Amino acid sequence: MNFRRGSRSAEPEINLIPLIDVVLVIIIFLMLTTTFSKISGLEINLPSAESAGAESVPNEIIVAVTAAGEVTVNRQPVADRSIESLATALGKAAPAGGSEPVVVINADAKAAHQSVIDVMQAAQRAGLGHVTFATQAPAQ
């Protein structure tokens, strides 16, 4: 055994390099796991289901989606269910002058969600940014 009595070892030193490495690993981990917010291309205004009275909007396009997935634009059936044909039908229904019309989506409760999304994408492609949904007041 080696017992040293009079000699003291050098003072301990603090090494910052491992600390910096750990901080850099944490920063890289946070950068990789951070989610970024996506900005929607459509401005969607959801109406309240408990309103006192219906607002009358003179410049609106009524789009009805049935449970079978059939789509009508201002009571005119759209033969093809593709987004392009829906966009052309919405473009024809929009008036040439005046304020931008509001697209009112009136979908059946059992309609496929994809049908409603297709109508919203067609409205975006047609340049119609104001989209709202029709609701029914709850039965009392």
Side-chain angles (χ1 to χ4, degrees):
M1 286 201 215
N2 189 3
F3 294 110
R4 297 183 187 173
R5 285 194 171 212
S7 67
R8 297 202 96 199
S9 63
E11 288 192 29
E13 65 181 57
I14 297 175
N15 194 354
L16 293 179
I17 294 174
L19 178 67
I20 293 172
D21 289 343
V22 169
V23 170
L24 286 176
V25 168
I26 291 173
I27 289 173
I28 291 171
F29 175 75
L30 290 176
M31 287 174 52
L32 293 176
T33 59
T34 301
T35 58
F36 299 100
S37 62
K38 293 183 180 180
I39 298 173
S40 176
L42 290 176
E43 181 181 325
I44 300 174
N45 299 320
L46 298 176
S48 173
E50 305 252 349
S51 64
E55 294 180 15
S56 63
V57 178
N59 202 6
E60 64 184 9
I61 300 172
I62 307 292
V63 179
V65 180
T66 64
E70 299 167 351
V71 178
T72 60
V73 176
N74 285 342
R75 297 186 182 177
Q76 300 295 324
V78 178
D80 189 16
R81 295 180 188 171
S82 68
I83 296 173
E84 290 80 19
S85 63
L86 287 171
T88 57
L90 287 171
K92 289 179 184 176
S99 64
E100 184 178 357
V102 176
V103 177
V104 180
I105 300 175
N106 188 3
D108 189 88
K110 296 182 181 177
H113 184 69
Q114 184 62 47
S115 300
V116 177
I117 297 298
D118 289 344
V119 171
M120 291 171 60
Q121 286 181 344
Q124 182 181 18
R125 285 191 186 171
L128 304 171
H130 298 287
V131 177
T132 187
F133 296 93
T135 60
Q136 181 177 350
Q140 294 180 357

PDB file of all heavy atoms in Angstrom, residues 55-95:
ATOM      1  N   GLU A  55     -78.846  34.336 -40.391  1.00  0.00           N
ATOM      2  CA  GLU A  55     -78.439  35.530 -41.108  1.00  0.00           C
ATOM      3  C   GLU A  55     -78.675  35.308 -42.592  1.00  0.00           C
ATOM      4  O   GLU A  55     -78.415  34.237 -43.123  1.00  0.00           O
ATOM      5  CB  GLU A  55     -76.950  35.808 -40.873  1.00  0.00           C
ATOM      6  CG  GLU A  55     -76.610  36.155 -39.460  1.00  0.00           C
ATOM      7  CD  GLU A  55     -75.123  36.420 -39.298  1.00  0.00           C
ATOM      8  OE1 GLU A  55     -74.438  36.604 -40.317  1.00  0.00           O
ATOM      9  OE2 GLU A  55     -74.670  36.427 -38.152  1.00  0.00           O
ATOM     10  N   SER A  56     -79.143  36.321 -43.260  1.00  0.00           N
ATOM     11  CA  SER A  56     -79.349  36.184 -44.698  1.00  0.00           C
ATOM     12  C   SER A  56     -78.152  36.793 -45.416  1.00  0.00           C
ATOM     13  O   SER A  56     -77.833  37.955 -45.234  1.00  0.00           O
ATOM     14  CB  SER A  56     -80.643  36.880 -45.129  1.00  0.00           C
ATOM     15  OG  SER A  56     -80.532  38.258 -44.866  1.00  0.00           O
ATOM     16  N   VAL A  57     -77.495  35.985 -46.188  1.00  0.00           N
ATOM     17  CA  VAL A  57     -76.348  36.427 -46.964  1.00  0.00           C
ATOM     18  C   VAL A  57     -76.778  36.399 -48.422  1.00  0.00           C
ATOM     19  O   VAL A  57     -77.072  35.339 -48.972  1.00  0.00           O
ATOM     20  CB  VAL A  57     -75.129  35.504 -46.737  1.00  0.00           C
ATOM     21  CG1 VAL A  57     -73.960  35.949 -47.577  1.00  0.00           C
ATOM     22  CG2 VAL A  57     -74.770  35.467 -45.273  1.00  0.00           C
ATOM     23  N   PRO A  58     -76.874  37.554 -49.070  1.00  0.00           N
ATOM     24  CA  PRO A  58     -77.383  37.580 -50.433  1.00  0.00           C
ATOM     25  C   PRO A  58     -76.432  36.939 -51.436  1.00  0.00           C
ATOM     26  O   PRO A  58     -76.859  36.499 -52.487  1.00  0.00           O
ATOM     27  CB  PRO A  58     -77.554  39.078 -50.722  1.00  0.00           C
ATOM     28  CG  PRO A  58     -76.605  39.747 -49.779  1.00  0.00           C
ATOM     29  CD  PRO A  58     -76.533  38.871 -48.579  1.00  0.00           C
ATOM     30  N   ASN A  59     -75.170  36.873 -51.118  1.00  0.00           N
ATOM     31  CA  ASN A  59     -74.175  36.380 -52.065  1.00  0.00           C
ATOM     32  C   ASN A  59     -73.589  35.078 -51.515  1.00  0.00           C
ATOM     33  O   ASN A  59     -72.498  35.063 -50.974  1.00  0.00           O
ATOM     34  CB  ASN A  59     -73.082  37.442 -52.253  1.00  0.00           C
ATOM     35  CG  ASN A  59     -72.355  37.245 -53.553  1.00  0.00           C
ATOM     36  OD1 ASN A  59     -72.717  36.398 -54.354  1.00  0.00           O
ATOM     37  ND2 ASN A  59     -71.316  38.013 -53.744  1.00  0.00           N
ATOM     38  N   GLU A  60     -74.343  33.978 -51.642  1.00  0.00           N
ATOM     39  CA  GLU A  60     -73.878  32.705 -51.126  1.00  0.00           C
ATOM     40  C   GLU A  60     -74.089  31.608 -52.150  1.00  0.00           C
ATOM     41  O   GLU A  60     -74.973  31.679 -52.996  1.00  0.00           O
ATOM     42  CB  GLU A  60     -74.557  32.354 -49.808  1.00  0.00           C
ATOM     43  CG  GLU A  60     -76.048  32.150 -49.899  1.00  0.00           C
ATOM     44  CD  GLU A  60     -76.689  31.904 -48.549  1.00  0.00           C
ATOM     45  OE1 GLU A  60     -76.006  32.050 -47.522  1.00  0.00           O
ATOM     46  OE2 GLU A  60     -77.871  31.566 -48.523  1.00  0.00           O
ATOM     47  N   ILE A  61     -73.247  30.605 -52.057  1.00  0.00           N
ATOM     48  CA  ILE A  61     -73.331  29.428 -52.915  1.00  0.00           C
ATOM     49  C   ILE A  61     -73.635  28.251 -52.008  1.00  0.00           C
ATOM     50  O   ILE A  61     -72.868  27.946 -51.095  1.00  0.00           O
ATOM     51  CB  ILE A  61     -72.010  29.197 -53.674  1.00  0.00           C
ATOM     52  CG1 ILE A  61     -71.681  30.407 -54.544  1.00  0.00           C
ATOM     53  CG2 ILE A  61     -72.084  27.938 -54.506  1.00  0.00           C
ATOM     54  CD1 ILE A  61     -70.301  30.347 -55.167  1.00  0.00           C
ATOM     55  N   ILE A  62     -74.772  27.591 -52.248  1.00  0.00           N
ATOM     56  CA  ILE A  62     -75.194  26.469 -51.423  1.00  0.00           C
ATOM     57  C   ILE A  62     -74.683  25.181 -52.062  1.00  0.00           C
ATOM     58  O   ILE A  62     -74.996  24.873 -53.208  1.00  0.00           O
ATOM     59  CB  ILE A  62     -76.734  26.401 -51.297  1.00  0.00           C
ATOM     60  CG1 ILE A  62     -77.303  27.734 -50.828  1.00  0.00           C
ATOM     61  CG2 ILE A  62     -77.155  25.255 -50.399  1.00  0.00           C
ATOM     62  CD1 ILE A  62     -76.939  28.095 -49.429  1.00  0.00           C
ATOM     63  N   VAL A  63     -73.871  24.424 -51.305  1.00  0.00           N
ATOM     64  CA  VAL A  63     -73.353  23.135 -51.765  1.00  0.00           C
ATOM     65  C   VAL A  63     -73.942  22.074 -50.854  1.00  0.00           C
ATOM     66  O   VAL A  63     -73.755  22.116 -49.639  1.00  0.00           O
ATOM     67  CB  VAL A  63     -71.813  23.090 -51.724  1.00  0.00           C
ATOM     68  CG1 VAL A  63     -71.310  21.741 -52.180  1.00  0.00           C
ATOM     69  CG2 VAL A  63     -71.223  24.194 -52.574  1.00  0.00           C
ATOM     70  N   ALA A  64     -74.682  21.129 -51.435  1.00  0.00           N
ATOM     71  CA  ALA A  64     -75.301  20.052 -50.662  1.00  0.00           C
ATOM     72  C   ALA A  64     -74.576  18.751 -50.953  1.00  0.00           C
ATOM     73  O   ALA A  64     -74.308  18.412 -52.103  1.00  0.00           O
ATOM     74  CB  ALA A  64     -76.774  19.919 -51.023  1.00  0.00           C
ATOM     75  N   VAL A  65     -74.257  18.020 -49.888  1.00  0.00           N
ATOM     76  CA  VAL A  65     -73.597  16.719 -50.001  1.00  0.00           C
ATOM     77  C   VAL A  65     -74.526  15.701 -49.353  1.00  0.00           C
ATOM     78  O   VAL A  65     -74.859  15.811 -48.170  1.00  0.00           O
ATOM     79  CB  VAL A  65     -72.221  16.713 -49.299  1.00  0.00           C
ATOM     80  CG1 VAL A  65     -71.561  15.363 -49.440  1.00  0.00           C
ATOM     81  CG2 VAL A  65     -71.333  17.805 -49.837  1.00  0.00           C
ATOM     82  N   THR A  66     -74.956  14.702 -50.132  1.00  0.00           N
ATOM     83  CA  THR A  66     -75.869  13.689 -49.612  1.00  0.00           C
ATOM     84  C   THR A  66     -75.082  12.572 -48.938  1.00  0.00           C
ATOM     85  O   THR A  66     -73.856  12.512 -49.017  1.00  0.00           O
ATOM     86  CB  THR A  66     -76.732  13.108 -50.747  1.00  0.00           C
ATOM     87  OG1 THR A  66     -75.872  12.430 -51.664  1.00  0.00           O
ATOM     88  CG2 THR A  66     -77.514  14.192 -51.459  1.00  0.00           C
ATOM     89  N   ALA A  67     -75.816  11.667 -48.299  1.00  0.00           N
ATOM     90  CA  ALA A  67     -75.171  10.537 -47.626  1.00  0.00           C
ATOM     91  C   ALA A  67     -74.507   9.603 -48.629  1.00  0.00           C
ATOM     92  O   ALA A  67     -73.524   8.936 -48.308  1.00  0.00           O
ATOM     93  CB  ALA A  67     -76.193   9.769 -46.790  1.00  0.00           C
ATOM     94  N   ALA A  68     -75.006   9.579 -49.862  1.00  0.00           N
ATOM     95  CA  ALA A  68     -74.420   8.726 -50.902  1.00  0.00           C
ATOM     96  C   ALA A  68     -73.206   9.376 -51.548  1.00  0.00           C
ATOM     97  O   ALA A  68     -72.535   8.753 -52.374  1.00  0.00           O
ATOM     98  CB  ALA A  68     -75.463   8.415 -51.965  1.00  0.00           C
ATOM     99  N   GLY A  69     -72.919  10.620 -51.220  1.00  0.00           N
ATOM    100  CA  GLY A  69     -71.762  11.307 -51.771  1.00  0.00           C
ATOM    101  C   GLY A  69     -72.075  12.164 -52.982  1.00  0.00           C
ATOM    102  O   GLY A  69     -71.168  12.704 -53.602  1.00  0.00           O
ATOM    103  N   GLU A  70     -73.346  12.305 -53.342  1.00  0.00           N
ATOM    104  CA  GLU A  70     -73.729  13.149 -54.471  1.00  0.00           C
ATOM    105  C   GLU A  70     -73.633  14.612 -54.053  1.00  0.00           C
ATOM    106  O   GLU A  70     -73.995  14.980 -52.942  1.00  0.00           O
ATOM    107  CB  GLU A  70     -75.148  12.813 -54.922  1.00  0.00           C
ATOM    108  CG  GLU A  70     -75.299  11.375 -55.382  1.00  0.00           C
ATOM    109  CD  GLU A  70     -76.749  10.967 -55.529  1.00  0.00           C
ATOM    110  OE1 GLU A  70     -77.637  11.742 -55.114  1.00  0.00           O
ATOM    111  OE2 GLU A  70     -76.992   9.882 -56.049  1.00  0.00           O
ATOM    112  N   VAL A  71     -73.159  15.454 -54.974  1.00  0.00           N
ATOM    113  CA  VAL A  71     -72.933  16.865 -54.668  1.00  0.00           C
ATOM    114  C   VAL A  71     -73.761  17.714 -55.625  1.00  0.00           C
ATOM    115  O   VAL A  71     -73.777  17.466 -56.834  1.00  0.00           O
ATOM    116  CB  VAL A  71     -71.435  17.219 -54.801  1.00  0.00           C
ATOM    117  CG1 VAL A  71     -71.206  18.686 -54.521  1.00  0.00           C
ATOM    118  CG2 VAL A  71     -70.603  16.367 -53.878  1.00  0.00           C
ATOM    119  N   THR A  72     -74.446  18.720 -55.057  1.00  0.00           N
ATOM    120  CA  THR A  72     -75.162  19.691 -55.877  1.00  0.00           C
ATOM    121  C   THR A  72     -74.668  21.081 -55.501  1.00  0.00           C
ATOM    122  O   THR A  72     -74.422  21.373 -54.332  1.00  0.00           O
ATOM    123  CB  THR A  72     -76.686  19.613 -55.658  1.00  0.00           C
ATOM    124  OG1 THR A  72     -76.978  19.887 -54.294  1.00  0.00           O
ATOM    125  CG2 THR A  72     -77.228  18.247 -56.031  1.00  0.00           C
ATOM    126  N   VAL A  73     -74.526  21.926 -56.517  1.00  0.00           N
ATOM    127  CA  VAL A  73     -74.110  23.315 -56.321  1.00  0.00           C
ATOM    128  C   VAL A  73     -75.265  24.191 -56.762  1.00  0.00           C
ATOM    129  O   VAL A  73     -75.625  24.198 -57.941  1.00  0.00           O
ATOM    130  CB  VAL A  73     -72.830  23.634 -57.125  1.00  0.00           C
ATOM    131  CG1 VAL A  73     -72.461  25.096 -56.982  1.00  0.00           C
ATOM    132  CG2 VAL A  73     -71.686  22.749 -56.681  1.00  0.00           C
ATOM    133  N   ASN A  74     -75.863  24.911 -55.815  1.00  0.00           N
ATOM    134  CA  ASN A  74     -77.058  25.727 -56.074  1.00  0.00           C
ATOM    135  C   ASN A  74     -78.138  24.912 -56.770  1.00  0.00           C
ATOM    136  O   ASN A  74     -78.713  25.307 -57.784  1.00  0.00           O
ATOM    137  CB  ASN A  74     -76.712  26.975 -56.884  1.00  0.00           C
ATOM    138  CG  ASN A  74     -76.021  28.019 -56.053  1.00  0.00           C
ATOM    139  OD1 ASN A  74     -76.072  27.984 -54.834  1.00  0.00           O
ATOM    140  ND2 ASN A  74     -75.356  28.952 -56.711  1.00  0.00           N
ATOM    141  N   ARG A  75     -78.383  23.726 -56.245  1.00  0.00           N
ATOM    142  CA  ARG A  75     -79.404  22.777 -56.711  1.00  0.00           C
ATOM    143  C   ARG A  75     -79.140  22.229 -58.110  1.00  0.00           C
ATOM    144  O   ARG A  75     -80.027  21.662 -58.730  1.00  0.00           O
ATOM    145  CB  ARG A  75     -80.792  23.401 -56.633  1.00  0.00           C
ATOM    146  CG  ARG A  75     -81.193  23.730 -55.212  1.00  0.00           C
ATOM    147  CD  ARG A  75     -82.600  24.203 -55.127  1.00  0.00           C
ATOM    148  NE  ARG A  75     -82.895  24.553 -53.731  1.00  0.00           N
ATOM    149  CZ  ARG A  75     -84.030  25.053 -53.351  1.00  0.00           C
ATOM    150  NH1 ARG A  75     -84.980  25.282 -54.212  1.00  0.00           N
ATOM    151  NH2 ARG A  75     -84.227  25.331 -52.084  1.00  0.00           N
ATOM    152  N   GLN A  76     -77.952  22.403 -58.613  1.00  0.00           N
ATOM    153  CA  GLN A  76     -77.546  21.824 -59.900  1.00  0.00           C
ATOM    154  C   GLN A  76     -76.611  20.658 -59.606  1.00  0.00           C
ATOM    155  O   GLN A  76     -75.542  20.860 -59.022  1.00  0.00           O
ATOM    156  CB  GLN A  76     -76.841  22.869 -60.783  1.00  0.00           C
ATOM    157  CG  GLN A  76     -77.676  24.079 -61.112  1.00  0.00           C
ATOM    158  CD  GLN A  76     -78.876  23.713 -61.973  1.00  0.00           C
ATOM    159  OE1 GLN A  76     -78.794  22.840 -62.828  1.00  0.00           O
ATOM    160  NE2 GLN A  76     -79.991  24.371 -61.712  1.00  0.00           N
ATOM    161  N   PRO A  77     -76.975  19.431 -59.996  1.00  0.00           N
ATOM    162  CA  PRO A  77     -76.106  18.290 -59.670  1.00  0.00           C
ATOM    163  C   PRO A  77     -74.781  18.348 -60.431  1.00  0.00           C
ATOM    164  O   PRO A  77     -74.721  18.799 -61.574  1.00  0.00           O
ATOM    165  CB  PRO A  77     -76.929  17.071 -60.100  1.00  0.00           C
ATOM    166  CG  PRO A  77     -77.930  17.590 -61.068  1.00  0.00           C
ATOM    167  CD  PRO A  77     -78.189  19.027 -60.718  1.00  0.00           C
ATOM    168  N   VAL A  78     -73.727  17.916 -59.768  1.00  0.00           N
ATOM    169  CA  VAL A  78     -72.401  17.837 -60.375  1.00  0.00           C
ATOM    170  C   VAL A  78     -72.195  16.377 -60.754  1.00  0.00           C
ATOM    171  O   VAL A  78     -72.223  15.488 -59.896  1.00  0.00           O
ATOM    172  CB  VAL A  78     -71.306  18.319 -59.390  1.00  0.00           C
ATOM    173  CG1 VAL A  78     -69.940  18.184 -60.020  1.00  0.00           C
ATOM    174  CG2 VAL A  78     -71.585  19.736 -58.968  1.00  0.00           C
ATOM    175  N   ALA A  79     -72.016  16.121 -62.055  1.00  0.00           N
ATOM    176  CA  ALA A  79     -71.942  14.746 -62.534  1.00  0.00           C
ATOM    177  C   ALA A  79     -70.702  14.033 -62.020  1.00  0.00           C
ATOM    178  O   ALA A  79     -70.776  12.923 -61.498  1.00  0.00           O
ATOM    179  CB  ALA A  79     -71.965  14.730 -64.062  1.00  0.00           C
ATOM    180  N   ASP A  80     -69.556  14.667 -62.160  1.00  0.00           N
ATOM    181  CA  ASP A  80     -68.294  14.057 -61.750  1.00  0.00           C
ATOM    182  C   ASP A  80     -67.957  14.524 -60.343  1.00  0.00           C
ATOM    183  O   ASP A  80     -68.104  15.690 -60.013  1.00  0.00           O
ATOM    184  CB  ASP A  80     -67.181  14.456 -62.727  1.00  0.00           C
ATOM    185  CG  ASP A  80     -65.901  13.696 -62.496  1.00  0.00           C
ATOM    186  OD1 ASP A  80     -65.937  12.660 -61.799  1.00  0.00           O
ATOM    187  OD2 ASP A  80     -64.857  14.133 -62.999  1.00  0.00           O
ATOM    188  N   ARG A  81     -67.502  13.609 -59.493  1.00  0.00           N
ATOM    189  CA  ARG A  81     -67.208  13.969 -58.106  1.00  0.00           C
ATOM    190  C   ARG A  81     -65.762  14.392 -57.903  1.00  0.00           C
ATOM    191  O   ARG A  81     -65.312  14.531 -56.768  1.00  0.00           O
ATOM    192  CB  ARG A  81     -67.514  12.791 -57.195  1.00  0.00           C
ATOM    193  CG  ARG A  81     -68.969  12.428 -57.167  1.00  0.00           C
ATOM    194  CD  ARG A  81     -69.221  11.266 -56.263  1.00  0.00           C
ATOM    195  NE  ARG A  81     -70.597  10.803 -56.398  1.00  0.00           N
ATOM    196  CZ  ARG A  81     -71.056   9.707 -55.857  1.00  0.00           C
ATOM    197  NH1 ARG A  81     -70.262   8.951 -55.143  1.00  0.00           N
ATOM    198  NH2 ARG A  81     -72.302   9.357 -56.026  1.00  0.00           N
ATOM    199  N   SER A  82     -65.028  14.639 -58.974  1.00  0.00           N
ATOM    200  CA  SER A  82     -63.629  15.026 -58.829  1.00  0.00           C
ATOM    201  C   SER A  82     -63.540  16.480 -58.355  1.00  0.00           C
ATOM    202  O   SER A  82     -64.471  17.272 -58.499  1.00  0.00           O
ATOM    203  CB  SER A  82     -62.887  14.863 -60.149  1.00  0.00           C
ATOM    204  OG  SER A  82     -63.351  15.800 -61.090  1.00  0.00           O
ATOM    205  N   ILE A  83     -62.387  16.814 -57.804  1.00  0.00           N
ATOM    206  CA  ILE A  83     -62.183  18.159 -57.269  1.00  0.00           C
ATOM    207  C   ILE A  83     -62.188  19.185 -58.388  1.00  0.00           C
ATOM    208  O   ILE A  83     -62.706  20.293 -58.222  1.00  0.00           O
ATOM    209  CB  ILE A  83     -60.867  18.197 -56.465  1.00  0.00           C
ATOM    210  CG1 ILE A  83     -60.979  17.279 -55.250  1.00  0.00           C
ATOM    211  CG2 ILE A  83     -60.531  19.608 -56.010  1.00  0.00           C
ATOM    212  CD1 ILE A  83     -59.703  17.115 -54.477  1.00  0.00           C
ATOM    213  N   GLU A  84     -61.657  18.824 -59.546  1.00  0.00           N
ATOM    214  CA  GLU A  84     -61.614  19.764 -60.676  1.00  0.00           C
ATOM    215  C   GLU A  84     -63.015  20.122 -61.152  1.00  0.00           C
ATOM    216  O   GLU A  84     -63.323  21.290 -61.431  1.00  0.00           O
ATOM    217  CB  GLU A  84     -60.795  19.180 -61.832  1.00  0.00           C
ATOM    218  CG  GLU A  84     -59.315  19.096 -61.563  1.00  0.00           C
ATOM    219  CD  GLU A  84     -58.926  17.887 -60.704  1.00  0.00           C
ATOM    220  OE1 GLU A  84     -59.733  16.925 -60.622  1.00  0.00           O
ATOM    221  OE2 GLU A  84     -57.847  17.922 -60.114  1.00  0.00           O
ATOM    222  N   SER A  85     -63.902  19.119 -61.275  1.00  0.00           N
ATOM    223  CA  SER A  85     -65.261  19.417 -61.730  1.00  0.00           C
ATOM    224  C   SER A  85     -66.022  20.207 -60.672  1.00  0.00           C
ATOM    225  O   SER A  85     -66.842  21.078 -61.011  1.00  0.00           O
ATOM    226  CB  SER A  85     -65.995  18.125 -62.083  1.00  0.00           C
ATOM    227  OG  SER A  85     -66.144  17.312 -60.940  1.00  0.00           O
ATOM    228  N   LEU A  86     -65.770  19.925 -59.388  1.00  0.00           N
ATOM    229  CA  LEU A  86     -66.408  20.721 -58.338  1.00  0.00           C
ATOM    230  C   LEU A  86     -65.913  22.167 -58.367  1.00  0.00           C
ATOM    231  O   LEU A  86     -66.696  23.104 -58.180  1.00  0.00           O
ATOM    232  CB  LEU A  86     -66.129  20.115 -56.965  1.00  0.00           C
ATOM    233  CG  LEU A  86     -66.862  18.820 -56.602  1.00  0.00           C
ATOM    234  CD1 LEU A  86     -66.309  18.248 -55.315  1.00  0.00           C
ATOM    235  CD2 LEU A  86     -68.337  19.070 -56.481  1.00  0.00           C
ATOM    236  N   ALA A  87     -64.625  22.346 -58.647  1.00  0.00           N
ATOM    237  CA  ALA A  87     -64.065  23.698 -58.709  1.00  0.00           C
ATOM    238  C   ALA A  87     -64.659  24.475 -59.884  1.00  0.00           C
ATOM    239  O   ALA A  87     -64.970  25.664 -59.747  1.00  0.00           O
ATOM    240  CB  ALA A  87     -62.544  23.640 -58.811  1.00  0.00           C
ATOM    241  N   THR A  88     -64.833  23.836 -61.020  1.00  0.00           N
ATOM    242  CA  THR A  88     -65.442  24.536 -62.163  1.00  0.00           C
ATOM    243  C   THR A  88     -66.904  24.865 -61.882  1.00  0.00           C
ATOM    244  O   THR A  88     -67.381  25.931 -62.260  1.00  0.00           O
ATOM    245  CB  THR A  88     -65.308  23.707 -63.444  1.00  0.00           C
ATOM    246  OG1 THR A  88     -65.903  22.413 -63.246  1.00  0.00           O
ATOM    247  CG2 THR A  88     -63.863  23.549 -63.855  1.00  0.00           C
ATOM    248  N   ALA A  89     -67.630  23.956 -61.221  1.00  0.00           N
ATOM    249  CA  ALA A  89     -69.033  24.231 -60.887  1.00  0.00           C
ATOM    250  C   ALA A  89     -69.127  25.386 -59.890  1.00  0.00           C
ATOM    251  O   ALA A  89     -70.015  26.239 -60.009  1.00  0.00           O
ATOM    252  CB  ALA A  89     -69.691  22.979 -60.318  1.00  0.00           C
ATOM    253  N   LEU A  90     -68.224  25.428 -58.921  1.00  0.00           N
ATOM    254  CA  LEU A  90     -68.228  26.547 -57.968  1.00  0.00           C
ATOM    255  C   LEU A  90     -67.823  27.852 -58.648  1.00  0.00           C
ATOM    256  O   LEU A  90     -68.346  28.916 -58.327  1.00  0.00           O
ATOM    257  CB  LEU A  90     -67.284  26.250 -56.808  1.00  0.00           C
ATOM    258  CG  LEU A  90     -67.763  25.207 -55.794  1.00  0.00           C
ATOM    259  CD1 LEU A  90     -66.644  24.845 -54.830  1.00  0.00           C
ATOM    260  CD2 LEU A  90     -68.964  25.709 -55.041  1.00  0.00           C
ATOM    261  N   GLY A  91     -66.894  27.770 -59.588  1.00  0.00           N
ATOM    262  CA  GLY A  91     -66.480  28.965 -60.322  1.00  0.00           C
ATOM    263  C   GLY A  91     -67.614  29.527 -61.179  1.00  0.00           C
ATOM    264  O   GLY A  91     -67.772  30.735 -61.308  1.00  0.00           O
ATOM    265  N   LYS A  92     -68.417  28.628 -61.775  1.00  0.00           N
ATOM    266  CA  LYS A  92     -69.566  29.081 -62.572  1.00  0.00           C
ATOM    267  C   LYS A  92     -70.665  29.654 -61.698  1.00  0.00           C
ATOM    268  O   LYS A  92     -71.387  30.561 -62.109  1.00  0.00           O
ATOM    269  CB  LYS A  92     -70.114  27.916 -63.393  1.00  0.00           C
ATOM    270  CG  LYS A  92     -69.214  27.487 -64.525  1.00  0.00           C
ATOM    271  CD  LYS A  92     -69.812  26.309 -65.267  1.00  0.00           C
ATOM    272  CE  LYS A  92     -68.865  25.805 -66.351  1.00  0.00           C
ATOM    273  NZ  LYS A  92     -69.397  24.602 -67.016  1.00  0.00           N
ATOM    274  N   ALA A  93     -70.807  29.141 -60.488  1.00  0.00           N
ATOM    275  CA  ALA A  93     -71.868  29.617 -59.598  1.00  0.00           C
ATOM    276  C   ALA A  93     -71.518  30.954 -58.952  1.00  0.00           C
ATOM    277  O   ALA A  93     -72.403  31.672 -58.513  1.00  0.00           O
ATOM    278  CB  ALA A  93     -72.142  28.578 -58.511  1.00  0.00           C
ATOM    279  N   ALA A  94     -70.236  31.280 -58.885  1.00  0.00           N
ATOM    280  CA  ALA A  94     -69.824  32.545 -58.278  1.00  0.00           C
ATOM    281  C   ALA A  94     -70.155  33.695 -59.211  1.00  0.00           C
ATOM    282  O   ALA A  94     -69.879  33.633 -60.406  1.00  0.00           O
ATOM    283  CB  ALA A  94     -68.331  32.519 -57.984  1.00  0.00           C
ATOM    284  N   PRO A  95     -70.745  34.769 -58.704  1.00  0.00           N
ATOM    285  CA  PRO A  95     -71.039  35.917 -59.556  1.00  0.00           C
ATOM    286  C   PRO A  95     -69.753  36.638 -59.966  1.00  0.00           C
ATOM    287  O   PRO A  95     -68.756  36.614 -59.262  1.00  0.00           O
ATOM    288  CB  PRO A  95     -71.924  36.801 -58.678  1.00  0.00           C
ATOM    289  CG  PRO A  95     -71.613  36.393 -57.289  1.00  0.00           C
ATOM    290  CD  PRO A  95     -71.217  34.951 -57.343  1.00  0.00           C
TER     291      PRO A  95
END
